[in-house]
Amino acid sequence: MRTYFQCLPCFAKQAVNALPMIDEAAREDVMRDVMRALAEIDFATSPPQMAKIIFDIIKKRCGNRDFYAEAKKKSNAYVLESIDSFREMIDTSSDPFETALRLAIAGNVIDFGAKHDFSDHHIHDNIDSVLNAEIPKKQIEALRSAIDEAANILYLGDNAGEIVFDTLFIEQFPKGKTTFAVRGAPVINDVLMEDAEAVGMIKLVPVIDNGADVPGTVLSECSESFKKTFAKADLVISKGQGNYETLNDMEKHIFFLLKIKCDVVARDSGYPLNSFVVMPPKNGEAGGEK
Amino acid sequence: MRTYFQCLPCFAKQAVNALPMIDEAAREDVMRDVMRALAEIDFATSPPQMAKIIFDIIKKRCGNRDFYAEAKKKSNAYVLESIDSFREMIDTSSDPFETALRLAIAGNVIDFGAKHDFSDHHIHDNIDSVLNAEIPKKQIEALRSAIDEAANILYLGDNAGEIVFDTLFIEQFPKGKTTFAVRGAPVINDVLMEDAEAVGMIKLVPVIDNGADVPGTVLSECSESFKKTFAKADLVISKGQGNYETLNDMEKHIFFLLKIKCDVVARDSGYPLNSFVVMPPKNGEAGGEK
């Protein structure tokens, strides 16, 4: 997906939201540098690629710290606190796969990029909404079959906190064929290996990092070993807007699970703003190497 | 009021909102120029001064048109359509001055600057809200007394549409001492002389223009004759955020009537977001020349 003019205020807002986490003395320079970068933006690239440029500016000005580290720990801990009740919700439901899937999409609300007003309340509001959301049965069944039939599933993680719901969903998959991917370096609140460790994902499935620090999946930025795993996968499950924005034009057997968080992605995808989406592959077929 | 970092995304959004009104071919250049201007922003100046710079960029790229002309006409016509029912609402209320005051503040919702999602519905929602809003009796009475006691009232208009409510409020003032001010040239949907003519303000009180095209009142940008009228006024009634942002630090007997539309003004003023405000002068005293 390309970047739209409407993304510019959102990039500026992402930078503003990061300001409290950096030295006060550096903030004005950061904002001026971000505005200069936005003036030179390449609209043909995807929004997460521009977000990476913005966070590079911020990191450079503040000693390359992972300034969302604390926030990510809190998000993980916050969702982990309720994991037993979520697991019970899944186990006692009439369709544990579907309930776990819906919860995994609800978890996508934990996003410090597109959503600027994250608070603890959102996740519980979203869980109520997602459990009752209209997600076409056909799309849920298509994903269920794809997971059953796939030989190599690559599951692309998105944000801290959300990854706890991903563990619950992956528990529903047939064993031994799923790999979970995290980002290769800090960017916003995107998942890293340490998050996969903190929430127990590493005990469930193999976890790899993609070698990049884009809040999405831009293959040209990723490590060779990640690219191999990606190519080998005959099913990719992509969580969140960042992965959608960077992969939606690709010929590949990808299901996108996300909440539509902005008008731009709503228009681009054709799904309504705030809807919870299980988006099947465009062409239905175009698997990985078998 | 100074400009805050939080204003930058809002400026970018104002530019994006203006895009549908300018040639498609010019849009990318406009956005890049706006971002460049934001990179060089003087944070010591008020937000409306920066908004003027942004709209100058847009106007320069699109032949200096008043690109909100149609929208302003529609806003005026839309409120005028219901003027009889609003006047009846005022006349049949237990306190016509207070009701007209509340409606004048409700009208402040018609703003294509701070509010990006204006639609017809907002005004009626706001009227219900403002009629029931908690506005301290003491502040309403302070304004009533100030109007009764003043010799020269200068009423600073804000936006098209809103100006219709200003006529209804000014009808409640003692006759012969009020002057209404409009902007000197087009900027966003701010009122011009043609709006004062369209809604009948010119039949009610003398109307002057301030000689400037800032969406606020920056005296150094205004004409000499406006500055004289301003200096002579022993009471200024200032409508809207733009006038607040440019005049709130001034030693002058000014009452600010506005809806608080953004976090920045909420924090700066101490009033909650979305509240309807009658803000008395800081020091209580500092009138004009008598």
Side-chain angles (χ1 to χ4, degrees):
Chain A
M1 185 184 115
R2 58 159 288 186
T3 296
Y4 293 82
F5 298 135
Q6 287 79 352
C7 301
L8 294 175
C10 189
F11 292 136
K13 188 133 198 195
Q14 287 183 34
V16 165
N17 288 344
L19 294 182
M21 275 162 286
I22 64 179
D23 283 350
E24 206 165 339
R27 292 178 193 171
E28 185 173 328
D29 286 341
V30 162
M31 288 311 298
R32 292 192 192 282
D33 285 354
V34 166
M35 293 301 131
R36 267 177 219 118
L38 291 178
E40 304 305 324
I41 189 170
D42 176 0
F43 285 102
T45 65
S46 66
Q49 284 166 283
M50 194 63 208
K52 172 191 156 49
I53 292 173
I54 290 168
F55 280 88
D56 280 350
I57 290 169
I58 298 171
K59 279 196 274 184
K60 202 173 148 192
R61 290 275 189 182
C62 67
N64 229 4
R65 284 187 294 116
D66 177 6
F67 43 84
Y68 278 104
E70 271 313 300
K72 287 187 285 187
K73 273 185 199 158
K74 275 188 193 162
S75 296
N76 289 333
Y78 177 72
V79 186
L80 277 175
E81 227 169 63
S82 307
I83 192 167
D84 290 342
S85 69
F86 293 134
R87 193 174 274 125
E88 202 191 325
M89 203 183 276
I90 293 166
D91 290 344
T92 60
S93 70
S94 62
D95 185 343
F97 175 88
E98 182 174 333
T99 304
L101 163 62
R102 285 176 179 265
L103 288 178
I105 303 173
N108 184 232
V109 76
I110 305 169
D111 177 354
F112 297 153
K115 272 294 163 198
H116 307 298
D117 57 351
F118 172 74
S119 74
D120 290 351
H121 304 296
H122 279 85
I123 187 68
H124 288 292
D125 290 351
N126 264 269
I127 285 171
D128 289 343
S129 305
V130 82
L131 291 176
N132 299 304
E134 269 199 49
I135 302 176
K137 199 79 191 158
K138 200 177 149 190
Q139 292 174 4
I140 293 171
E141 293 316 311
L143 177 59
R144 195 196 309 259
S145 304
I147 290 170
D148 284 344
E149 289 161 16
N152 291 295
I153 301 172
L154 177 61
Y155 191 113
L156 305 176
D158 187 22
N159 296 316
E162 177 179 358
I163 189 178
V164 180
F165 293 102
D166 295 327
T167 66
L168 294 173
F169 185 36
I170 291 172
E171 282 177 4
Q172 302 295 321
F173 293 14
K175 304 291 167 236
K177 59 184 182 182
T178 304
T179 300
F180 187 87
V182 297
R183 312 291 185 222
V187 59
I188 328 182
N189 67 329
D190 284 38
V191 274
L192 299 176
M193 192 57 81
E194 63 205 47
D195 301 297
E197 287 164 3
V199 307
M201 182 66 85
I202 54 163
K203 286 184 265 174
L204 192 63
V205 291
V207 180
I208 59 169
D209 82 60
N210 70 6
D213 61 351
V214 178
T217 303
V218 178
L219 284 184
S220 59
E221 301 261 341
C222 293
S223 64
E224 287 309 312
S225 70
F226 176 83
K227 280 190 250 184
K228 273 183 200 153
T229 307
F230 189 91
K232 214 179 123 197
D234 53 357
L235 170 62
V236 174
I237 297 176
S238 160
K239 287 292 300 285
Q241 273 202 187
N243 286 324
Y244 170 83
E245 290 168 25
T246 45
L247 290 171
N248 74 313
D249 294 326
M250 177 164 268
E251 292 291 316
K252 179 86 186 169
H253 196 235
I254 309 179
F255 278 78
F256 295 100
L257 313 186
L258 69 158
K259 181 174 183 187
I260 307 289
K261 294 174 191 166
C262 71
D263 287 326
V264 169
V265 173
R267 198 175 45 189
D268 186 88
S269 68
Y271 288 86
L273 185 65
N274 292 322
S275 58
F276 299 96
V277 173
V278 176
M279 203 185 304
K282 275 178 193 166
N283 46 17
E285 277 324 305
E289 301 156 12
K290 293 221 179 168
Chain B
M1 185 183 114
R2 59 159 287 186
T3 296
Y4 293 81
F5 298 134
Q6 287 80 352
C7 301
L8 293 175
C10 188
F11 292 136
K13 188 131 199 197
Q14 286 183 35
V16 165
N17 288 344
L19 293 182
M21 275 162 286
I22 64 179
D23 283 351
E24 207 165 337
R27 291 178 193 172
E28 184 173 328
D29 287 340
V30 162
M31 287 311 297
R32 292 192 192 282
D33 285 354
V34 166
M35 292 301 131
R36 268 176 219 118
L38 291 178
E40 305 304 323
I41 189 171
D42 176 0
F43 286 101
T45 65
S46 65
Q49 283 166 284
M50 194 64 209
K52 171 192 157 47
I53 292 172
I54 290 168
F55 281 88
D56 280 350
I57 289 169
I58 298 171
K59 278 196 275 182
K60 203 173 147 191
R61 289 274 188 182
C62 67
N64 230 3
R65 284 187 293 115
D66 177 6
F67 43 84
Y68 278 104
E70 270 314 299
K72 287 187 284 186
K73 273 185 200 158
K74 275 189 192 161
S75 295
N76 290 333
Y78 177 71
V79 186
L80 277 176
E81 226 170 64
S82 307
I83 194 167
D84 290 341
S85 70
F86 293 133
R87 193 173 275 124
E88 201 191 326
M89 203 183 276
I90 292 166
D91 290 345
T92 59
S93 70
S94 62
D95 185 343
F97 175 89
E98 183 174 332
T99 304
L101 163 63
R102 286 176 179 266
L103 289 178
I105 302 174
N108 184 231
V109 77
I110 305 169
D111 178 353
F112 297 153
K115 273 295 163 196
H116 307 298
D117 57 348
F118 172 72
S119 74
D120 290 352
H121 304 296
H122 279 85
I123 188 66
H124 287 291
D125 290 351
N126 263 268
I127 284 170
D128 289 343
S129 305
V130 82
L131 291 176
N132 298 305
E134 269 199 49
I135 301 176
K137 200 78 191 159
K138 202 177 146 191
Q139 292 175 5
I140 295 171
E141 293 315 311
L143 177 59
R144 195 196 308 259
S145 304
I147 290 169
D148 284 343
E149 289 160 17
N152 291 295
I153 301 172
L154 177 61
Y155 193 114
L156 304 175
D158 187 21
N159 296 317
E162 177 179 357
I163 189 179
V164 179
F165 293 102
D166 296 327
T167 66
L168 294 173
F169 184 35
I170 291 172
E171 283 178 3
Q172 300 295 321
F173 293 13
K175 305 290 168 239
K177 58 184 184 182
T178 302
T179 300
F180 188 87
V182 296
R183 312 291 185 220
V187 59
I188 330 181
N189 67 329
D190 285 38
V191 274
L192 299 177
M193 191 58 81
E194 62 205 49
D195 301 298
E197 288 165 2
V199 306
M201 182 67 85
I202 54 163
K203 286 185 267 175
L204 192 64
V205 291
V207 180
I208 58 170
D209 83 61
N210 70 7
D213 62 351
V214 178
T217 304
V218 178
L219 283 184
S220 58
E221 300 261 340
C222 292
S223 65
E224 287 309 311
S225 70
F226 176 82
K227 281 191 248 184
K228 272 183 201 153
T229 307
F230 189 91
K232 215 178 122 198
D234 53 356
L235 170 63
V236 175
I237 297 175
S238 160
K239 285 294 299 290
Q241 273 201 187
N243 286 324
Y244 170 82
E245 291 168 24
T246 45
L247 291 170
N248 74 313
D249 294 326
M250 178 165 266
E251 293 291 315
K252 179 84 185 172
H253 196 234
I254 309 180
F255 278 78
F256 295 100
L257 313 186
L258 69 159
K259 183 175 182 187
I260 307 288
K261 293 173 192 165
C262 71
D263 286 326
V264 168
V265 172
R267 197 175 44 188
D268 186 89
S269 68
Y271 287 87
L273 184 65
N274 291 321
S275 58
F276 299 96
V277 173
V278 176
M279 203 184 304
K282 276 179 191 165
N283 46 17
E285 278 324 304
E289 299 156 14
K290 294 223 176 166

